[in-house]
Amino acid sequence: MVEELESVRSHITILDHLLICRLCTHDKFIPYLTVSNVEEPGVGVLSIGYSAVCDRCGCVTEFGDPSHPSEDGMDYIWALKQTILQ
């Protein structure tokens, strides 16, 4: 599992489910970190997520990182997995 996705051609898995393009059903993406201001014009509250661009058709899929601590707080459940492709 990864803390931060690299912006290279990859397979992306979220909680063991492969990310699939909604437009062309392709499974290869280039992910980018996305930062947006959710309090416009506010005090600068930032929301951090990801946008993944489909390698075939260019469709953009936005998603967050659902990683979280386990219920007992003893472990951390990493939700994102990236398999870099050549």
Side-chain angles (χ1 to χ4, degrees):
M1 302 299 172
V2 294
E3 285 187 46
E4 207 171 289
L5 299 177
E6 293 183 44
S7 294
V8 293
R9 187 171 173 255
S10 312
H11 283 287
I12 300 168
T13 306
I14 304 171
L15 293 171
D16 295 326
H17 294 286
L18 186 63
L19 188 64
I20 303 291
C21 179
R22 295 169 286 156
L23 195 59
C24 71
T25 66
H26 197 55
D27 62 357
K28 295 172 183 74
F29 292 89
I30 300 173
Y32 295 94
L33 186 65
T34 309
V35 180
S36 59
N37 186 349
V38 294
E39 297 250 345
E40 299 178 301
V43 292
V45 176
L46 300 179
S47 172
I48 297 174
Y50 284 99
S51 294
V53 179
C54 177
D55 186 58
R56 179 180 288 165
C57 72
C59 181
V60 176
T61 302
E62 294 182 348
F63 58 95
D65 182 359
S67 300
H68 59 280
S70 63
E71 289 183 20
D72 62 6
M74 299 300 289
D75 296 309
Y76 194 77
I77 299 169
W78 293 101
L80 298 178
K81 181 180 177 187
Q82 180 179 28
T83 305
I84 297 174
L85 305 171
Q86 299 300 331

Coordinates of all heavy atoms in Angstrom, one line a residue:
M1 N 0.8 -1.2 0.0 CA 0.0 0.0 0.0 C 0.9 1.2 0.0 O 2.0 1.2 0.4 CB -0.9 0.0 1.2 CG -1.8 -1.2 1.3 SD -2.9 -1.3 -0.2 CE -3.6 -2.9 0.1
V2 N 0.3 2.4 -0.4 CA 1.1 3.6 -0.6 C 0.6 4.7 0.2 O -0.6 4.8 0.5 CB 1.2 4.0 -2.1 CG1 2.0 2.9 -2.8 CG2 -0.1 4.2 -2.7
E3 N 1.4 5.6 0.6 CA 1.0 6.8 1.3 C 0.6 7.9 0.3 O -0.3 8.7 0.5 CB 2.1 7.4 2.2 CG 2.3 6.6 3.4 CD 3.3 7.3 4.4 OE1 3.2 8.5 4.6 OE2 4.2 6.6 4.9
E4 N 1.3 7.9 -0.8 CA 1.0 8.9 -1.9 C 1.3 8.3 -3.2 O 2.2 7.6 -3.4 CB 2.0 10.1 -1.7 CG 1.5 11.4 -2.2 CD 2.4 12.6 -1.8 OE1 2.4 12.9 -0.6 OE2 3.1 13.1 -2.7
L5 N 0.3 8.5 -4.2 CA 0.5 7.9 -5.5 C 1.5 8.7 -6.3 O 1.5 9.9 -6.3 CB -0.9 7.9 -6.2 CG -2.0 7.1 -5.5 CD1 -3.3 7.2 -6.3 CD2 -1.6 5.7 -5.4
E6 N 2.2 8.0 -7.1 CA 3.2 8.6 -8.1 C 2.4 8.9 -9.4 O 1.6 8.1 -9.8 CB 4.4 7.7 -8.4 CG 5.2 7.5 -7.2 CD 6.4 6.6 -7.5 OE1 7.0 6.8 -8.6 OE2 6.7 5.7 -6.8
S7 N 2.8 10.0 -10.0 CA 2.1 10.4 -11.3 C 2.8 9.7 -12.5 O 3.4 10.3 -13.3 CB 2.2 11.9 -11.5 OG 1.4 12.5 -10.5
V8 N 2.6 8.4 -12.6 CA 3.1 7.6 -13.7 C 2.0 6.6 -14.1 O 1.1 6.3 -13.3 CB 4.4 6.8 -13.3 CG1 5.5 7.8 -13.1 CG2 4.2 6.0 -12.1
R9 N 2.1 6.0 -15.2 CA 1.1 5.1 -15.8 C 1.0 3.9 -14.8 O 2.0 3.2 -14.5 CB 1.5 4.6 -17.1 CG 0.5 3.8 -17.9 CD 1.0 3.6 -19.3 NE 0.2 2.7 -20.0 CZ 0.5 1.5 -20.3 NH1 1.7 1.0 -20.0 NH2 -0.3 0.7 -20.9
S10 N -0.2 3.6 -14.3 CA -0.3 2.6 -13.2 C -1.7 1.9 -13.3 O -2.7 2.4 -13.8 CB -0.2 3.3 -11.9 OG 0.9 4.1 -11.8
H11 N -1.8 0.8 -12.5 CA -3.0 0.2 -12.1 C -3.3 0.8 -10.7 O -2.3 0.8 -9.9 CB -3.0 -1.3 -12.0 CG -3.1 -2.0 -13.3 ND1 -4.2 -2.1 -14.1 CD2 -2.1 -2.6 -14.1 CE1 -4.0 -2.8 -15.2 NE2 -2.7 -3.1 -15.2
I12 N -4.5 1.2 -10.4 CA -4.8 1.8 -9.1 C -5.9 0.9 -8.4 O -6.9 0.6 -9.1 CB -5.2 3.2 -9.1 CG1 -4.1 4.1 -9.8 CG2 -5.6 3.7 -7.8 CD1 -4.6 5.4 -10.2
T13 N -5.6 0.4 -7.2 CA -6.6 -0.4 -6.5 C -7.0 0.4 -5.2 O -6.2 0.9 -4.5 CB -6.0 -1.7 -6.1 OG1 -5.5 -2.3 -7.3 CG2 -7.0 -2.6 -5.5
I14 N -8.3 0.5 -5.0 CA -8.9 1.2 -3.8 C -9.7 0.1 -3.1 O -10.7 -0.4 -3.6 CB -9.8 2.3 -4.2 CG1 -9.1 3.3 -5.1 CG2 -10.3 3.0 -3.0 CD1 -9.9 4.4 -5.7
L15 N -9.2 -0.2 -1.9 CA -9.8 -1.2 -1.0 C -10.0 -2.5 -1.8 O -11.1 -3.1 -1.8 CB -11.1 -0.8 -0.4 CG -10.9 0.4 0.6 CD1 -12.3 0.9 1.0 CD2 -10.2 -0.1 1.9
D16 N -8.9 -3.0 -2.5 CA -8.9 -4.2 -3.3 C -9.8 -4.2 -4.5 O -10.1 -5.3 -5.1 CB -9.2 -5.4 -2.4 CG -8.1 -5.6 -1.4 OD1 -6.9 -5.3 -1.7 OD2 -8.4 -6.1 -0.2
H17 N -10.3 -3.1 -5.0 CA -11.1 -3.0 -6.2 C -10.3 -2.2 -7.2 O -10.0 -1.0 -6.9 CB -12.5 -2.3 -5.9 CG -13.3 -3.1 -5.0 ND1 -14.0 -4.2 -5.4 CD2 -13.7 -2.9 -3.7 CE1 -14.7 -4.7 -4.4 NE2 -14.5 -4.0 -3.4
L18 N -10.1 -2.7 -8.4 CA -9.3 -2.1 -9.4 C -10.1 -0.9 -10.0 O -11.3 -1.0 -10.3 CB -9.0 -3.1 -10.5 CG -8.1 -2.6 -11.7 CD1 -6.7 -2.3 -11.2 CD2 -8.0 -3.7 -12.7
L19 N -9.5 0.2 -10.1 CA -10.1 1.4 -10.7 C -10.3 1.2 -12.2 O -9.3 0.8 -12.9 CB -9.3 2.7 -10.4 CG -9.8 4.0 -10.8 CD1 -11.1 4.3 -10.0 CD2 -8.8 5.1 -10.6
I20 N -11.5 1.3 -12.7 CA -11.9 1.1 -14.1 C -12.5 2.4 -14.7 O -13.3 3.1 -14.0 CB -12.9 0.0 -14.3 CG1 -12.4 -1.3 -13.6 CG2 -13.3 -0.2 -15.7 CD1 -11.3 -2.0 -14.4
C21 N -12.1 2.8 -15.9 CA -12.6 4.0 -16.5 C -14.1 3.8 -16.8 O -14.5 2.8 -17.3 CB -11.8 4.3 -17.8 SG -12.4 5.7 -18.7
R22 N -14.8 4.9 -16.4 CA -16.3 4.8 -16.6 C -16.6 4.9 -18.1 O -17.7 4.5 -18.5 CB -17.0 6.0 -15.9 CG -16.8 5.8 -14.4 CD -17.3 7.1 -13.7 NE -16.2 8.1 -13.9 CZ -16.3 9.4 -13.9 NH1 -17.5 9.9 -13.7 NH2 -15.3 10.2 -14.0
L23 N -15.8 5.5 -18.9 CA -16.1 5.8 -20.3 C -15.7 4.6 -21.2 O -16.5 4.2 -22.0 CB -15.4 7.1 -20.8 CG -15.8 7.7 -22.1 CD1 -17.3 8.1 -22.0 CD2 -15.0 8.9 -22.3
C24 N -14.4 4.1 -21.1 CA -13.9 3.1 -22.0 C -13.6 1.8 -21.3 O -13.1 0.8 -22.0 CB -12.7 3.6 -22.8 SG -11.2 3.8 -21.8
T25 N -13.8 1.6 -20.0 CA -13.6 0.4 -19.2 C -12.1 0.0 -19.2 O -11.8 -1.2 -19.0 CB -14.5 -0.8 -19.6 OG1 -14.2 -1.2 -20.9 CG2 -15.9 -0.4 -19.5
H26 N -11.2 0.9 -19.5 CA -9.7 0.7 -19.5 C -9.3 0.7 -18.0 O -10.0 1.3 -17.2 CB -9.0 1.8 -20.3 CG -7.6 1.5 -20.7 ND1 -7.3 0.3 -21.4 CD2 -6.5 2.2 -20.5 CE1 -6.0 0.3 -21.6 NE2 -5.5 1.4 -21.1
D27 N -8.2 0.1 -17.7 CA -7.8 0.1 -16.3 C -6.4 0.7 -16.0 O -5.8 0.4 -15.0 CB -7.8 -1.3 -15.7 CG -6.9 -2.3 -16.5 OD1 -6.2 -1.9 -17.4 OD2 -6.8 -3.5 -16.1
K28 N -5.9 1.5 -16.9 CA -4.6 2.1 -16.7 C -4.7 3.6 -16.6 O -5.4 4.2 -17.5 CB -3.6 1.7 -17.9 CG -3.3 0.2 -17.9 CD -2.6 -0.1 -19.2 CE -2.3 -1.6 -19.3 NZ -3.5 -2.4 -19.6
F29 N -4.2 4.2 -15.6 CA -4.4 5.6 -15.2 C -3.0 6.3 -14.9 O -2.1 5.6 -14.5 CB -5.3 5.7 -14.1 CG -6.7 5.3 -14.3 CD1 -7.1 4.0 -14.1 CD2 -7.6 6.2 -14.8 CE1 -8.4 3.6 -14.4 CE2 -8.9 5.9 -15.0 CZ -9.3 4.6 -14.8
I30 N -3.1 7.6 -15.0 CA -2.0 8.4 -14.5 C -2.6 9.3 -13.3 O -3.4 10.1 -13.6 CB -1.3 9.3 -15.5 CG1 -0.7 8.4 -16.6 CG2 -0.2 10.2 -14.9 CD1 -0.2 9.2 -17.8
P31 N -2.3 9.0 -12.1 CA -2.9 9.7 -11.0 C -2.2 11.0 -10.7 O -1.0 11.2 -10.9 CB -2.7 8.8 -9.8 CG -1.5 8.0 -10.1 CD -1.5 7.9 -11.6
Y32 N -2.9 12.0 -10.2 CA -2.4 13.3 -9.8 C -3.0 13.7 -8.5 O -4.2 13.5 -8.3 CB -2.7 14.4 -10.9 CG -2.0 14.1 -12.2 CD1 -2.7 13.5 -13.2 CD2 -0.7 14.6 -12.4 CE1 -2.1 13.2 -14.4 CE2 -0.1 14.3 -13.6 CZ -0.8 13.7 -14.6 OH -0.2 13.4 -15.8
L33 N -2.2 14.3 -7.6 CA -2.7 14.8 -6.3 C -3.5 16.1 -6.6 O -3.1 16.9 -7.4 CB -1.5 15.2 -5.4 CG -1.9 15.6 -4.0 CD1 -2.5 14.5 -3.2 CD2 -0.6 16.1 -3.3
T34 N -4.7 16.2 -6.0 CA -5.6 17.3 -6.3 C -5.8 18.1 -5.0 O -6.2 17.5 -3.9 CB -7.0 16.9 -6.8 OG1 -6.7 16.0 -7.9 CG2 -7.8 18.0 -7.2
V35 N -5.6 19.4 -5.0 CA -5.9 20.2 -3.8 C -6.9 21.3 -4.2 O -6.7 22.0 -5.2 CB -4.5 20.9 -3.3 CG1 -4.8 21.7 -2.1 CG2 -3.5 19.8 -3.0
S36 N -8.0 21.4 -3.4 CA -9.0 22.4 -3.7 C -9.4 23.1 -2.4 O -9.4 22.6 -1.3 CB -10.2 21.8 -4.4 OG -10.7 20.8 -3.6
N37 N -9.8 24.4 -2.6 CA -10.2 25.2 -1.5 C -11.8 25.0 -1.3 O -12.5 25.3 -2.2 CB -10.0 26.7 -1.7 CG -10.3 27.6 -0.5 OD1 -10.9 27.1 0.4 ND2 -9.9 28.8 -0.6
V38 N -12.2 24.4 -0.2 CA -13.6 24.1 0.0 C -14.4 25.2 0.7 O -15.6 25.0 0.9 CB -13.8 22.7 0.8 CG1 -13.2 21.6 0.0 CG2 -13.1 22.8 2.1
E39 N -13.7 26.2 1.1 CA -14.4 27.4 1.7 C -14.1 28.6 0.9 O -13.4 29.5 1.4 CB -13.8 27.5 3.2 CG -14.0 26.4 4.1 CD -15.0 26.7 5.1 OE1 -15.3 27.9 5.4 OE2 -15.5 25.8 5.7
E40 N -14.7 28.7 -0.2 CA -14.5 29.9 -1.1 C -15.5 31.0 -0.8 O -16.7 30.7 -0.9 CB -14.5 29.5 -2.5 CG -13.4 28.5 -2.9 CD -13.5 28.1 -4.3 OE1 -14.6 27.6 -4.7 OE2 -12.5 28.3 -5.0
P41 N -15.2 32.2 -0.5 CA -13.9 32.7 -0.1 C -13.7 32.6 1.3 O -14.2 33.5 2.1 CB -13.9 34.1 -0.6 CG -15.4 34.5 -0.5 CD -16.2 33.2 -0.6
G42 N -13.2 31.6 1.9 CA -13.1 31.4 3.3 C -11.7 31.5 3.9 O -10.9 32.3 3.4
V43 N -11.5 30.7 4.9 CA -10.3 30.8 5.6 C -9.2 29.9 5.1 O -8.2 29.7 5.7 CB -10.5 30.5 7.1 CG1 -11.3 31.5 7.8 CG2 -11.2 29.1 7.3
G44 N -9.4 29.4 3.9 CA -8.4 28.5 3.3 C -8.4 27.1 3.7 O -7.4 26.5 4.0
V45 N -9.6 26.5 3.9 CA -9.7 25.1 4.2 C -9.5 24.3 2.9 O -10.2 24.4 2.0 CB -11.1 24.7 4.8 CG1 -11.2 23.3 5.1 CG2 -11.3 25.6 6.1
L46 N -8.5 23.4 2.9 CA -8.1 22.7 1.8 C -8.6 21.2 1.8 O -8.5 20.6 2.9 CB -6.6 22.7 1.6 CG -6.0 24.1 1.4 CD1 -4.4 23.9 1.2 CD2 -6.5 24.8 0.2
S47 N -9.0 20.7 0.7 CA -9.4 19.3 0.5 C -8.4 18.7 -0.4 O -8.1 19.2 -1.4 CB -10.8 19.2 -0.1 OG -11.1 17.9 -0.4
I48 N -7.9 17.5 0.1 CA -6.8 16.8 -0.7 C -7.4 15.5 -1.2 O -8.0 14.8 -0.4 CB -5.6 16.6 0.1 CG1 -5.0 17.9 0.5 CG2 -4.6 15.8 -0.6 CD1 -3.8 17.9 1.5
G49 N -7.3 15.3 -2.5 CA -7.8 14.0 -3.1 C -6.9 13.7 -4.3 O -5.8 14.2 -4.4
Y50 N -7.4 12.8 -5.1 CA -6.7 12.4 -6.3 C -7.6 12.5 -7.6 O -8.8 12.4 -7.5 CB -6.2 11.0 -6.2 CG -5.1 10.8 -5.3 CD1 -5.2 10.4 -4.0 CD2 -3.8 11.0 -5.8 CE1 -4.1 10.2 -3.2 CE2 -2.7 10.9 -4.9 CZ -2.9 10.5 -3.6 OH -1.8 10.3 -2.8
S51 N -7.0 12.8 -8.7 CA -7.6 12.7 -10.0 C -6.8 11.8 -10.8 O -5.5 11.8 -10.8 CB -7.6 14.1 -10.7 OG -8.4 15.0 -10.0
A52 N -7.4 10.8 -11.5 CA -6.7 9.9 -12.3 C -7.2 10.0 -13.8 O -8.3 10.0 -14.0 CB -6.9 8.5 -11.8
V53 N -6.2 10.2 -14.7 CA -6.5 10.4 -16.1 C -6.3 9.0 -16.8 O -5.3 8.4 -16.7 CB -5.6 11.4 -16.7 CG1 -5.8 11.6 -18.2 CG2 -5.7 12.8 -16.0
C54 N -7.4 8.6 -17.5 CA -7.3 7.3 -18.2 C -6.3 7.4 -19.3 O -6.2 8.3 -20.0 CB -8.7 7.0 -18.8 SG -8.7 5.5 -19.8
D55 N -5.5 6.4 -19.3 CA -4.4 6.3 -20.3 C -4.9 6.1 -21.7 O -4.2 6.5 -22.7 CB -3.5 5.0 -19.9 CG -2.3 4.9 -20.7 OD1 -1.4 5.9 -20.8 OD2 -2.1 3.9 -21.4
R56 N -6.1 5.6 -21.9 CA -6.6 5.4 -23.3 C -7.5 6.6 -23.8 O -7.2 7.1 -24.8 CB -7.5 4.1 -23.3 CG -8.0 3.9 -24.7 CD -8.9 2.6 -24.8 NE -8.0 1.5 -24.7 CZ -8.4 0.3 -24.4 NH1 -9.7 0.0 -24.2 NH2 -7.6 -0.7 -24.4
C57 N -8.5 7.0 -23.0 CA -9.4 8.0 -23.5 C -9.3 9.4 -22.9 O -9.9 10.3 -23.4 CB -10.9 7.5 -23.4 SG -11.5 7.5 -21.7
G58 N -8.6 9.5 -21.8 CA -8.4 10.8 -21.2 C -9.4 11.2 -20.2 O -9.4 12.3 -19.6
C59 N -10.4 10.3 -19.9 CA -11.5 10.6 -19.0 C -10.8 10.7 -17.6 O -10.0 10.0 -17.2 CB -12.5 9.5 -19.0 SG -13.9 9.7 -17.8
V60 N -11.3 11.7 -16.8 CA -10.8 11.9 -15.4 C -11.7 11.3 -14.4 O -12.9 11.6 -14.4 CB -10.6 13.4 -15.2 CG1 -10.1 13.7 -13.8 CG2 -9.6 14.0 -16.2
T61 N -11.1 10.6 -13.5 CA -11.9 10.0 -12.3 C -11.3 10.6 -11.1 O -10.1 10.6 -10.9 CB -11.7 8.5 -12.3 OG1 -12.2 7.9 -13.5 CG2 -12.4 7.9 -11.1
E62 N -12.2 11.2 -10.2 CA -11.7 11.8 -9.0 C -12.1 10.8 -7.8 O -13.1 10.2 -7.8 CB -12.4 13.1 -8.8 CG -12.0 14.2 -9.8 CD -12.6 15.5 -9.5 OE1 -13.6 15.6 -8.7 OE2 -12.2 16.5 -10.2
F63 N -11.1 10.8 -6.9 CA -11.4 9.9 -5.7 C -10.6 10.4 -4.5 O -9.6 11.1 -4.7 CB -11.0 8.4 -6.0 CG -9.6 8.2 -6.5 CD1 -8.6 7.8 -5.6 CD2 -9.3 8.4 -7.8 CE1 -7.3 7.6 -6.0 CE2 -8.0 8.1 -8.2 CZ -7.0 7.8 -7.3
G64 N -11.0 10.0 -3.3 CA -10.2 10.3 -2.1 C -9.5 9.1 -1.6 O -9.5 8.0 -2.2
D65 N -8.8 9.3 -0.5 CA -8.1 8.2 0.1 C -8.8 7.7 1.3 O -8.8 8.4 2.4 CB -6.7 8.7 0.5 CG -5.8 7.5 1.1 OD1 -6.3 6.4 1.2 OD2 -4.7 7.8 1.4
P66 N -9.5 6.6 1.3 CA -10.3 6.1 2.4 C -9.5 5.3 3.4 O -10.0 4.6 4.3 CB -11.3 5.2 1.7 CG -10.7 4.7 0.5 CD -9.7 5.8 0.1
S67 N -8.1 5.5 3.4 CA -7.3 4.8 4.4 C -7.7 5.3 5.8 O -8.0 6.5 6.0 CB -5.8 5.1 4.2 OG -5.4 4.6 2.9
H68 N -7.6 4.4 6.8 CA -8.1 4.8 8.2 C -7.6 3.8 9.2 O -7.1 2.7 8.9 CB -9.6 4.8 8.2 CG -10.2 3.5 7.9 ND1 -10.4 3.1 6.6 CD2 -10.7 2.5 8.7 CE1 -11.0 1.9 6.6 NE2 -11.2 1.5 7.9
P69 N -7.6 4.2 10.5 CA -7.2 3.3 11.6 C -8.2 2.2 11.7 O -9.4 2.4 11.4 CB -7.1 4.2 12.8 CG -7.3 5.6 12.4 CD -7.8 5.6 11.0
S70 N -7.8 1.1 12.2 CA -8.7 0.0 12.5 C -9.6 0.4 13.6 O -9.3 1.3 14.4 CB -7.9 -1.3 12.8 OG -7.2 -1.2 13.9
E71 N -10.6 -0.4 13.8 CA -11.6 -0.1 14.9 C -10.9 -0.1 16.3 O -11.3 0.7 17.2 CB -12.8 -1.1 14.9 CG -13.7 -0.9 13.7 CD -14.9 -1.8 13.7 OE1 -15.2 -2.3 14.8 OE2 -15.5 -2.0 12.7
D72 N -10.0 -1.0 16.5 CA -9.3 -1.0 17.8 C -8.2 0.0 17.9 O -7.6 0.1 19.0 CB -8.8 -2.4 18.1 CG -7.8 -3.0 17.2 OD1 -7.4 -2.2 16.3 OD2 -7.5 -4.2 17.3
G73 N -7.8 0.6 16.8 CA -6.8 1.6 16.8 C -5.4 1.0 16.8 O -4.4 1.8 16.9
M74 N -5.2 -0.3 16.7 CA -3.9 -0.9 16.7 C -3.2 -0.9 15.4 O -2.0 -1.0 15.3 CB -4.0 -2.3 17.3 CG -4.6 -2.4 18.7 SD -3.6 -1.5 19.9 CE -2.2 -2.5 20.0
D75 N -4.0 -0.9 14.3 CA -3.4 -1.0 13.0 C -4.0 0.1 12.1 O -4.9 0.8 12.5 CB -3.8 -2.4 12.3 CG -3.3 -3.6 13.0 OD1 -2.0 -3.6 13.3 OD2 -4.0 -4.5 13.3
Y76 N -3.3 0.3 11.0 CA -3.8 1.3 10.0 C -4.1 0.6 8.7 O -3.3 -0.2 8.2 CB -2.7 2.4 9.8 CG -3.2 3.6 9.1 CD1 -4.0 4.5 9.8 CD2 -3.0 3.8 7.7 CE1 -4.5 5.6 9.2 CE2 -3.6 4.9 7.1 CZ -4.3 5.8 7.8 OH -4.8 6.9 7.2
I77 N -5.3 0.8 8.2 CA -5.8 0.1 7.0 C -5.5 1.0 5.8 O -6.1 2.1 5.6 CB -7.3 -0.2 7.1 CG1 -7.5 -1.1 8.2 CG2 -7.8 -0.8 5.7 CD1 -9.0 -1.3 8.6
W78 N -4.5 0.6 5.0 CA -4.1 1.4 3.8 C -5.0 1.0 2.6 O -5.2 -0.2 2.3 CB -2.7 1.1 3.4 CG -1.7 1.6 4.3 CD1 -1.0 0.8 5.3 CD2 -1.2 2.9 4.5 NE1 -0.2 1.6 6.0 CE2 -0.3 2.9 5.6 CE3 -1.5 4.1 3.9 CZ2 0.3 4.1 6.0 CZ3 -0.9 5.3 4.3 CH2 0.0 5.2 5.3
A79 N -5.7 1.9 2.1 CA -6.8 1.7 1.1 C -6.2 1.7 -0.4 O -6.7 1.0 -1.2 CB -7.9 2.7 1.2
L80 N -5.2 2.5 -0.6 CA -4.7 2.7 -2.0 C -3.5 1.8 -2.3 O -2.6 1.6 -1.4 CB -4.3 4.1 -2.2 CG -5.4 5.2 -2.1 CD1 -4.8 6.6 -2.3 CD2 -6.5 5.0 -3.0
K81 N -3.5 1.2 -3.4 CA -2.4 0.4 -3.9 C -2.1 0.8 -5.4 O -3.1 0.9 -6.2 CB -2.7 -1.1 -3.8 CG -1.6 -2.0 -4.3 CD -2.0 -3.4 -4.2 CE -0.8 -4.3 -4.7 NZ -1.2 -5.7 -4.8
Q82 N -0.9 1.0 -5.7 CA -0.5 1.4 -7.0 C 0.5 0.4 -7.6 O 1.5 0.1 -6.9 CB 0.2 2.8 -7.0 CG 0.6 3.3 -8.3 CD 1.2 4.7 -8.2 OE1 1.8 5.1 -7.2 NE2 1.1 5.5 -9.3
T83 N 0.2 -0.1 -8.8 CA 1.1 -1.0 -9.5 C 1.6 -0.2 -10.7 O 0.8 0.0 -11.6 CB 0.4 -2.3 -9.9 OG1 -0.1 -2.9 -8.8 CG2 1.4 -3.2 -10.6
I84 N 2.9 0.2 -10.7 CA 3.4 1.0 -11.8 C 3.7 0.1 -13.0 O 4.2 -1.0 -12.9 CB 4.7 1.7 -11.3 CG1 4.4 2.7 -10.1 CG2 5.4 2.4 -12.4 CD1 5.6 3.3 -9.5
L85 N 3.3 0.6 -14.1 CA 3.4 -0.1 -15.4 C 4.5 0.5 -16.2 O 4.8 1.7 -16.2 CB 2.1 -0.1 -16.2 CG 0.9 -0.6 -15.4 CD1 -0.4 -0.3 -16.2 CD2 1.0 -2.1 -15.1
Q86 N 5.2 -0.3 -17.0 CA 6.3 0.2 -17.9 C 5.7 0.6 -19.3 O 4.8 0.1 -19.8 CB 7.3 -0.9 -18.1 CG 8.0 -1.2 -16.8 CD 8.7 -0.1 -16.1 OE1 9.1 0.9 -16.7 NE2 8.7 -0.1 -14.8

